[in-house]
Amino acid sequence: MASTAASAPKLVLNRRAWRVLALTLLVALAPGAKAQDGDRDPPTRAARVVDVIGDAWLFDHDTREWVRITRNQTVAEGDRLRTDDRARVSLRAGSTTIWLDERSDLELSQLDEDRTLLQLDRGDVAVRLRTAENAAETRLRTREGTAQPEREGLYRVEQLDRGTKVYVWQGRMRFDWARGAMPVSMGTGEQVELWWPDSPRAERGPLYSDGFGDWVLAESREEGDRPVARYVSPEMTGAEDLDRYGRWETAPDYGPVWIPTTVVVADWAPYRYGRWVWSRHWGWTWVDDAPWGFAPFHYGRWVSWGGRWCWSPGPYVHRPVYAPALVGWVGGGTSVSVNITIGNRPPPPRFGWYPLAPREVYVPAYRHTPRYVSRINDPRDLRDPVTVQRPHRYREVPAAVSVLPAPGAGIQPLPVRGPDRKPDPGWVRPLPVAPGRGDLAAVLPALPTRAVDAEPQRRVPRTPDGNMGWRSEGQVPVRRDARGPEMPAQLPPAVANTVPMPAVQQPAGLPMRTGQEPAPRTGDNMPWRAQQQRDLQQRDQQQRDMQQQREAQQQRELQQRRDMEQQREQQQQREMQQQREMQQQREMQQRREMEQQRDVQLQREMQQRREEQQRREEVQRRAPQPEPQRQIEVPRAPAMQPQPQVQPRAQPRDEGPQRGRQDGVPTRGDRPRDPKQQER
């Protein structure tokens, strides 16, 4: 009894010592765990929700609820997506496109610079890989194993109740069993159903058509291989929409800048038309309403240049680091001052933000390392002390600051007062870090959620309906012959702009489905809500506006080409006219030269004639002249009979006796007479 009493205090002392020792160990290990936790950086890659049809949900790990997702929302590593009946989702991570069918459950188990691992719990998922690099790092996991693409192409994986079905539209894929069996390889135009009842089974066959497959092929053809501007990397998520919705120019101080051409709102500013969504990796993340509103709000900086807002992507990086929102935060006061009003002036907003300009350093409010800050910013800006100490350019610009004026209200520009339109003092006080989840959530509109226990509608057999393009158990699949003439035998070096559609053939003895799946963007029999209809109409209006702008741009370019052609023709005509005038001048000059040559030749010939005439005359003068013959009168005999007297002929004047010249030159009268006349 005494021994027991003596041992009791010793036992109490041991327990107390143990508690003190445990507390000491916890205190000692806490800084190390905190330092180890602080050394981890958030993901540098993220996926974008390109389009949502119907109701799709994202699981919130903090609140344990399902939150409805919308276009341009960010999906990251560890996020889980779920689609309801008649719902579909398309994602984009860099240059890789991911499509999710109705009644599907997909988890992005890994999404970083090393690997993309998609865990499919049920439903269908399709991926399009555009580079060999993306194919080497992408995996699709099901209950039966892992599908690994071996080259770029278009693939689909379906999780069935009894196994896995893999479709290869283009490319080549290998399936590794989870239980260690030999892998199964499949090529273009094949589909393989894999299950494990008691041993690995693989049933091969040609491709079959259904609603989801037709939709994926149509979406793949529609997006094609749109080129990305040379100023950014194709692995920048959302970069594929830049050239369609804007144009590039070069600013002297900022280099290449992108200018949106579809903005029609007068007071538009970056980070104003959209909403804030909480992410467990980055905190408050911006979701923009514009169809192009992803890359310009998660990479680069915004600048007001030339009277317009322009996006500066910064230096070229193959895989840039994703940021939730490159903004600076301001606040108008504490919660007490919000309820105080002076006269008719409204209370200052609690939170506001403005876009960061080029060469301004972004300091994340979430967990990060110095290496992460160096990657998400330009290292040259971090080393520049002037840049680090420079005040933010747009903090005092009311047109650039956006605020939440009241709980549940929409985002508005910063209020101004007075003729100089300056904000009230104290409304743009800088905040050291971004607001916490509870602070900003108190003034944001509530988002639709669903309890974690709520499950999507279960698959129920339905009767075949030719007008319904959605997959169901009662629908007989239409067989597509993978060996048709339009299916390529081998995958080309790069995925073609359009995936070829195999020829449709009807299996013997099976009813043919009469209707094809309607295009989700042009309206079908799915129950659209009013907001979705408005979004669809707005999207169609934007597309029509874009088409009109493209047509106007084409007309302007055509008119410019015509004007240039006319200018070229006029220039050619002027050049031809000048050539003709020069030719005429040359011909006239040649004629003048020829006339001058002829005149010189004539003068030379005349001179020669004169000289010849003078020579002849000189020769004639020098030649000896014959002496004139004297007439000898012969005396006539006296006539015997009287003869009639003959009348003498009249002597011409030129034949009369003339006196010779003294110089001895005979005259006409001295010419020798005709011998016959002399005989007379």
Side-chain angles (χ1 to χ4, degrees):
M1 193 71 176
S3 62
T4 305
S7 61
K10 184 178 180 180
L11 181 61
V12 173
L13 181 61
N14 290 340
R15 290 179 179 176
R16 185 179 301 172
W18 173 256
R19 292 175 182 175
V20 172
L21 179 61
L23 182 60
T24 304
L25 291 175
L26 289 176
V27 173
L29 294 177
K34 184 176 181 181
Q36 183 179 2
D37 186 69
D39 291 340
R40 293 183 300 175
D41 287 330
T44 57
R45 294 184 64 191
R48 168 200 181 192
V49 179
V50 179
D51 198 5
V52 181
I53 300 174
D55 291 335
W57 307 87
L58 176 67
F59 184 70
D60 190 340
H61 293 268
D62 296 337
T63 61
R64 310 295 298 176
E65 293 179 336
W66 291 94
V67 182
R68 180 179 285 118
I69 60 175
T70 58
R71 183 181 59 183
N72 287 333
Q73 191 165 341
T74 300
V75 181
E77 178 180 284
D79 287 342
R80 185 179 174 186
L81 297 175
R82 176 176 290 179
T83 55
D84 287 350
D85 189 27
R86 298 178 179 271
R88 286 172 181 165
V89 176
S90 60
L91 308 174
R92 186 76 179 241
S95 61
T96 300
T97 306
I98 305 172
W99 295 279
L100 192 63
D101 195 15
E102 61 170 346
R103 300 189 297 269
S104 299
D105 197 332
L106 179 69
E107 180 181 355
L108 280 70
S109 300
Q110 186 175 355
L111 182 60
D112 53 24
E113 297 180 349
D114 298 328
R115 178 173 294 184
T116 300
L117 178 58
L118 306 178
Q119 176 71 39
L120 183 63
D121 294 335
R122 64 179 175 183
D124 288 352
V125 62
V127 296
R128 183 180 181 185
L129 307 172
R130 291 175 170 81
T131 63
E133 180 184 8
N134 298 138
E137 64 188 15
T138 302
R139 305 287 188 275
L140 295 95
R141 181 183 295 170
T142 62
R143 292 193 301 266
E144 285 69 31
T146 303
Q148 177 180 350
E150 296 182 346
R151 58 190 299 182
E152 63 271 16
L154 184 60
Y155 308 95
R156 172 187 173 187
V157 177
E158 181 180 5
Q159 180 65 72
L160 304 174
D161 294 335
R162 69 168 186 173
T164 301
K165 184 179 290 187
V166 179
Y167 306 76
V168 181
W169 281 298
Q170 280 187 326
R172 187 168 183 82
M173 178 173 281
R174 186 183 77 247
F175 186 83
D176 296 327
W177 294 91
R179 302 187 185 183
M182 292 295 294
V184 179
S185 297
M186 57 207 77
T188 300
E190 288 186 327
Q191 71 177 27
V192 181
E193 186 173 349
L194 307 109
W195 72 98
W196 194 298
D198 51 3
S199 62
R201 303 290 181 87
E203 181 181 351
R204 297 180 181 270
L207 287 175
Y208 282 75
S209 172
D210 60 358
F212 180 63
D214 293 342
W215 181 67
V216 169
L217 292 175
E219 290 288 307
S220 180
R221 283 195 303 266
E222 182 180 353
E223 69 175 9
D225 281 332
R226 291 189 289 267
V228 180
R230 63 182 181 273
Y231 305 107
V232 297
S233 171
E235 295 303 323
M236 176 185 289
T237 303
E240 68 277 0
D241 291 333
L242 296 178
D243 286 347
R244 290 194 301 164
Y245 295 99
R247 68 178 187 273
W248 290 91
E249 294 185 6
T250 302
D253 298 333
Y254 311 106
V257 294
W258 179 80
I259 304 173
T261 57
T262 58
V263 175
V264 296
V265 183
D267 62 345
W268 187 90
Y271 303 99
R272 178 168 296 172
Y273 287 87
R275 61 191 181 94
W276 291 101
V277 175
W278 180 262
S279 172
R280 63 191 180 100
H281 296 291
W282 302 283
W284 289 111
T285 304
W286 178 256
V287 179
D288 202 79
D289 293 339
W292 46 266
F294 194 88
F297 298 97
H298 301 289
Y299 309 91
R301 303 289 191 273
W302 282 90
V303 59
S304 180
W305 175 71
R308 299 164 298 183
W309 283 106
C310 308
W311 177 64
S312 175
Y316 184 93
V317 180
H318 176 60
R319 281 192 172 176
V321 179
Y322 169 88
L326 297 162
V327 299
W329 291 89
V330 294
T334 62
S335 59
V336 177
S337 62
V338 173
N339 299 324
I340 300 176
T341 58
I342 301 175
N344 295 326
R345 291 168 51 190
R350 294 184 58 186
F351 298 107
W353 56 91
Y354 56 91
L356 295 181
R359 294 186 290 273
E360 292 182 351
V361 178
Y362 170 70
V363 181
Y366 44 86
R367 182 182 65 251
H368 64 278
T369 62
R371 179 177 177 272
Y372 180 83
V373 176
S374 177
R375 292 191 60 190
I376 203 171
N377 295 281
D378 190 352
R380 296 172 297 182
D381 298 338
L382 297 174
R383 294 191 300 265
D384 185 5
V386 178
T387 304
V388 176
Q389 297 176 4
R390 180 186 299 128
H392 289 188
R393 179 181 308 176
Y394 300 118
R395 182 186 298 166
E396 304 291 339
V397 180
V401 180
S402 302
V403 297
L404 289 168
I411 301 174
Q412 298 179 5
L414 182 66
V416 294
R417 64 172 183 171
D420 52 356
R421 300 186 61 82
K422 290 185 178 181
D424 290 342
W427 281 31
V428 289
R429 291 185 299 180
L431 298 179
V433 294
R437 181 170 188 176
D439 297 334
L440 190 59
V443 294
L444 290 177
L447 297 177
T449 59
R450 188 172 63 182
V452 67
D453 297 334
E455 294 290 338
Q457 298 179 3
R458 304 295 300 176
R459 299 184 185 180
V460 294
R462 295 195 292 266
T463 57
D465 186 0
N467 296 325
M468 183 175 64
W470 299 88
R471 156 175 69 81
S472 65
E473 285 75 5
Q475 175 180 326
V476 179
V478 179
R479 185 171 184 173
R480 291 184 181 271
D481 187 4
R483 306 299 180 184
E486 297 181 3
M487 176 63 68
Q490 297 180 355
L491 182 70
V495 179
N497 291 346
T498 59
V499 178
M501 294 286 293
V504 179
Q505 296 182 358
Q506 171 64 23
L510 295 179
M512 178 69 178
R513 190 180 68 180
T514 58
Q516 298 295 332
E517 181 176 351
R521 288 190 176 86
T522 57
D524 52 13
N525 58 352
M526 65 179 300
W528 293 92
R529 290 178 171 83
Q531 180 63 30
Q532 295 172 345
Q533 292 179 357
R534 287 194 296 271
D535 294 342
L536 182 60
Q537 293 175 359
Q538 183 179 3
R539 216 176 316 168
D540 294 339
Q541 183 64 31
Q542 291 176 353
Q543 292 179 357
R544 286 193 296 269
D545 296 340
M546 289 173 54
Q547 183 65 22
Q548 293 178 358
Q549 291 178 0
R550 283 196 296 268
E551 293 177 355
Q553 181 67 20
Q554 292 176 358
Q555 292 179 358
R556 287 193 297 269
E557 293 177 355
L558 181 60
Q559 184 64 30
Q560 291 177 358
R561 286 197 296 269
R562 291 175 180 173
D563 296 340
M564 293 177 63
E565 288 291 339
Q566 293 179 358
Q567 293 178 0
R568 281 197 295 268
E569 292 178 357
Q570 293 177 0
Q571 183 67 20
Q572 291 177 357
Q573 291 178 359
R574 287 194 297 268
E575 292 178 355
M576 292 176 62
Q577 182 66 24
Q578 293 177 358
Q579 292 177 358
R580 285 196 296 267
E581 293 177 355
M582 293 176 63
Q583 184 67 21
Q584 292 177 359
Q585 292 177 0
R586 284 196 297 269
E587 292 177 355
M588 293 177 62
Q589 182 67 20
Q590 291 177 358
R591 285 197 295 269
R592 285 195 296 268
E593 292 177 355
M594 291 177 63
E595 291 178 355
Q596 291 177 359
Q597 291 177 0
R598 284 197 299 269
D599 295 340
V600 172
Q601 185 67 21
L602 289 175
Q603 293 177 2
R604 191 179 296 113
E605 291 178 355
M606 293 176 63
Q607 182 68 22
Q608 291 177 357
R609 291 195 189 98
R610 286 194 296 269
E611 293 177 355
E612 184 67 24
Q613 182 66 23
Q614 291 177 0
R615 284 197 298 271
R616 285 198 300 267
E617 292 177 355
E618 184 68 23
V619 170
Q620 290 178 2
R621 285 196 302 269
R622 294 180 180 179
Q625 300 295 331
E627 295 181 0
Q629 297 181 1
R630 297 179 180 179
Q631 297 181 1
I632 301 175
E633 295 180 1
V634 179
R636 298 181 179 179
M640 294 302 292
Q641 292 181 0
Q643 296 291 336
Q645 189 176 357
V646 179
Q647 296 294 331
R649 294 171 52 185
Q651 185 176 359
R653 289 181 299 177
D654 56 350
E655 294 183 356
Q658 295 182 3
R659 184 177 300 175
R661 296 177 58 180
Q662 297 297 329
D663 54 2
V665 179
T667 61
R668 288 185 297 177
D670 298 336
R671 295 178 182 175
R673 298 181 179 178
D674 194 322
K676 294 181 179 181
Q677 294 180 358
Q678 291 180 1
E679 291 179 358
R680 292 178 183 175

